[in-house]
Amino acid sequence: MDKLLEKMFANSFDGICIIDANGFGVMMNRAASKICSFPIDEFVGNNVKDALRDGSIDDSVSLKVLKYKKPVTKVVNIRGVDVLITGSPIKDEQNRMTHVVLNIRDIGELNNIKIESLLSIALKKKNSNSLPAENIHDVIPEMEGVIAKSPPIQEVLKVALKVARVDSTVLIHGESGVGKEVILKVIHSFSNRSSQPLIKVNCSAIPQHLLESELFGYERGAFTGADNRGKPGLFEQANGGTIFLDEIGDMPLDLQAKILRVLQEFEIMRVGGRKSIKINARVVSATNKNLDELVKEGKFRQDLFYRLNIVPLYIPPLRERPEDIAPLAFHFLHEKNKKYHLMKRFAPNTIHLLEEYDWPGNVREMENLIERLVVTTENDEICWSDLPFIRSSRQNIPQKSLKSILTEVEKKIIYEKLDELKTTRKTAAALGISQSTLVKKLQRFQEKADSSY
């Protein structure tokens, strides 16, 4: 019976967490971890008060249940994601509260279910004899290291999962650092080639005079310095699996013709070789350049572009998917803490400043920045003043006091959140302060603005 209960807990569609009477995490299932972007090992053994203190959550249902000793339901913001939580007390034979069980649902998922239900009813009315319609939202499985809270990335993942089942060539494009290799990993992992090699080639990192021999290999004595035994190329090494041609836009024109032949004939010829070698490798390519423009400029073959671009996947920059910023930041923070055996945490409002930043280097820039903050900040709490883009702006206004700088930053965050969420109640909840506190701050801002005239 205990094993059955464990399986039910682990495989429940709803997120479930259990917290003891002292506020320490006891158990969390995979669904809860995915919905909240909260690793299980970070939840178990840690106290909910610490999560409140470091800004991971803006309120605690479990603490309210422990205080009032009755069920509580509330929308809580966890690492930038609004979730619906119902907490219920668990009591022993003496009617003493021993634990709190939390049921967690993604607000966005609940809205999707409502939409799907309405569409299903509409379709049934339109054609009662038709077969049941498929869900308009594909199920995205849990994938380690894949953060997808924003609608644009969820759509990219849905297409990636569909195309993983077939062998069509895929062209992934987007700015540098957006996470193209993450999408590659999804495509390969969910394909029938997942047990075969995944070979990655950075076309811009290999010198042009060596790129051909690296890709196609060479026969013995093909050129001065060649290995006497010859060498298989990367296409041969990827046989049965997937080869990833990153920065494909930097490939020389003469080599582009040979890549086209691989895609058309599924065969390669080694440098210095006399016979063709059949290969069976799926080709996924990526670029941060505009290949359409390169084609017009004569720097990229149009026929190769058509072959590579059968399934295009565009990954939007991080600034266009703000819903991913907070979950990514906490993911990298946990990852780096684990790597360096540290316990760094974000100070209140630090996450809001990360959400306001444009991230020209995208996800890669964020990961590098958070690693730098984790290993270089002296205190366990990462504050707004530790952020380099805040420090650089401060250097331009040295005549201002720390208090005035903080006020300006606070004012900017509050007004932008208010403009986004429209009401003081929602804005206060998102910022982790009470509505009355927010109203007082707005009044002070207005009084200061009036006095300046």
Side-chain angles (χ1 to χ4, degrees), residues 58 149 197 259 302:
D58 69 347
K149 293 297 180 184
I259 296 294
Q302 188 175 54

Side-chain angles (χ1 to χ4, degrees), residues 325 328-330 332-337 340 342-347 349-351 353-355 357 359 364-392 394:
I325 291 175
L328 278 168
F330 281 105
F332 290 134
L333 180 67
H334 174 69
E335 193 178 66
K336 306 310 175 186
N337 273 334
Y340 297 111
L342 297 169
M343 292 292 291
K344 297 298 177 75
R345 61 183 183 273
F346 290 121
N349 285 338
T350 302
I351 286 294
L353 289 171
L354 295 178
E355 290 176 326
Y357 184 53
W359 297 108
R364 185 185 296 121
E365 180 189 3
M366 177 188 282
E367 181 177 9
N368 294 339
L369 170 63
I370 289 177
E371 179 166 3
R372 186 200 320 168
L373 293 172
V374 166
V375 299
T376 61
T377 51
E378 294 183 5
N379 300 317
D380 283 342
E381 194 170 69
I382 298 172
C383 301
W384 69 273
S385 56
D386 295 317
L387 303 176
F389 43 86
I390 296 295
R391 286 202 302 268
S392 62
R394 286 211 319 271

